[in-house]
Amino acid sequence: WDEGVAFYTGSEEGKDGSGSGALLYSLADKRCANFKTCGPEGDSVSGTSNINIKIFSEFAAGQMNLNLGNCDAARVNKDRISELMGVPLVQGVYRYAHKIDNLGDSSEKSKAEGAVFAAAILPRLHACSPGAAATVYENMKVGATSTSLPAVKSAFEANYACMGIWCGVVGELFDDDMGVFYADIPFCSDSVFSEPNRLAGYLPDTNVLDHSVIDGDQLAIESALSTGDFGLAKSIYEDGGYSKSYAQITVSPALSKGLPKGTPITGLSGNNRAVFGTALES
């Protein structure tokens, strides 16, 4: 576990992480300045990357779990670290796709950097959607005849939930000279898979919104009982009310093969916003 921290961070970052290294820790700090995702809240263009803050929280939790012999819990920490490590790579792809497509930068350097960032994250995207990975590859590969930032961005965003990341943690390209986000890049919006608000001051590292609103169920049950509506109270207790959210959909035409439980599902809501979830049953 300690070796993993060492390989991620390196020695040049110093004891407090304020140095300037050459590994993934340093990359995360560089990219957060481009996307205004630095600092504890992920809303600054300077300081430690919010990704590094989250990853080192997982490193610390994993170390504790290993010392306690909680290997299964440590594996969860490891998987979360792996997911978060992908964020600076996605940001790198966006940065250079923007340079090439929007800013007209046709230099060999920008094209090469874009291709390298894409190559680093493509296997993970391919595991979620081979089609999305093919789109990014065709736009970012060495020798690509054209690069479309909207196509690349849409391919990734449709698979954020599967990749374990979300719009807020990736951020949007920020024009530091002008002090504004680039107006020619559509903002990502994920209404479901997003970082939740603080819970009594605690900032969760995962999406526990559905868990936290269980108090809404409790209040609804109390309200139903106060009016003698025992049937409603029982229904909320058994099926959920504010928590345990789900959606039933009709697929037409029918699927050509079965859909396993846990399969990531993406789509558009009634107000045309992206929604993410998983199949609750096969």
Side-chain angles (χ1 to χ4, degrees):
W1 193 264
D2 291 344
E3 288 181 8
V5 178
F7 285 132
Y8 178 81
T9 312
S11 63
E12 296 298 319
E13 294 294 342
K15 294 182 178 181
D16 60 358
S18 62
S20 181
L23 300 178
L24 287 171
Y25 187 102
S26 177
L27 174 64
D29 281 353
K30 289 178 180 178
R31 290 291 84 87
C32 79
N34 304 137
F35 286 78
K36 200 178 181 182
T37 53
C38 304
E41 303 294 336
D43 59 358
S44 176
V45 294
S46 62
T48 301
S49 165
N50 187 253
I51 284 296
N52 280 335
I53 293 172
K54 293 182 186 302
I55 285 177
F56 268 74
S57 174
E58 296 292 340
F59 275 140
Q63 182 186 52
M64 178 190 70
N65 284 324
L66 288 173
N67 288 335
L68 293 174
N70 296 331
C71 294
D72 288 342
R75 290 188 184 96
V76 174
N77 299 130
K78 181 265 294 180
D79 290 342
R80 190 75 190 113
I81 290 168
S82 179
E83 291 169 343
L84 292 169
M85 283 171 62
V87 170
L89 303 178
V90 174
Q91 291 174 329
V93 174
Y94 291 170
R95 172 173 163 78
Y96 288 97
H98 175 252
K99 282 177 174 286
I100 298 166
D101 186 23
N102 296 41
L103 302 182
D105 182 353
S106 59
S107 67
E108 184 176 359
K109 177 183 181 299
S110 289
K111 290 183 177 181
E113 293 219 36
V116 170
F117 276 114
I121 193 65
L122 274 177
R124 189 171 302 175
L125 180 59
H126 185 275
C128 294
S129 171
T135 295
V136 174
Y137 173 74
E138 290 299 328
N139 279 272
M140 302 303 299
K141 67 181 180 180
V142 174
T145 57
S146 64
T147 297
S148 169
L149 173 60
V152 168
K153 201 164 181 283
S154 295
F156 274 113
E157 289 175 358
N159 292 282
Y160 275 0
C162 175
M163 297 172 70
I165 59 179
W166 60 97
C167 294
V169 78
V170 176
E172 299 289 349
L173 272 165
F174 188 76
D175 186 342
D176 196 28
D177 292 333
M178 300 298 294
V180 295
F181 291 100
Y182 283 99
D184 55 351
I185 304 176
F187 262 53
C188 173
S189 175
D190 44 12
S191 57
V192 175
F193 194 83
S194 57
E195 187 173 45
N197 293 325
R198 290 185 181 273
L199 302 174
Y202 175 77
L203 182 62
D205 281 332
T206 58
N207 188 349
V208 291
L209 176 62
D210 194 47
H211 302 73
S212 68
V213 293
I214 194 172
D215 55 355
D217 294 351
Q218 176 65 26
L219 293 172
I221 290 172
E222 293 177 7
S223 176
L225 291 175
S226 69
T227 61
D229 194 339
F230 297 101
L232 176 59
K234 182 180 179 181
S235 175
I236 296 171
Y237 176 78
E238 293 180 343
D239 300 324
Y242 292 90
S243 64
K244 200 178 179 180
S245 58
Y246 67 94
Q248 292 178 315
I249 60 175
T250 300
V251 180
S252 180
L255 297 174
S256 60
K257 60 181 180 180
L259 195 67
K261 178 180 178 180
T263 299
I265 298 174
T266 63
L268 296 175
S269 66
N271 60 356
N272 207 41
R273 296 187 68 181
V275 293
F276 308 90
T278 58
L280 297 179
E281 298 177 358
S282 298

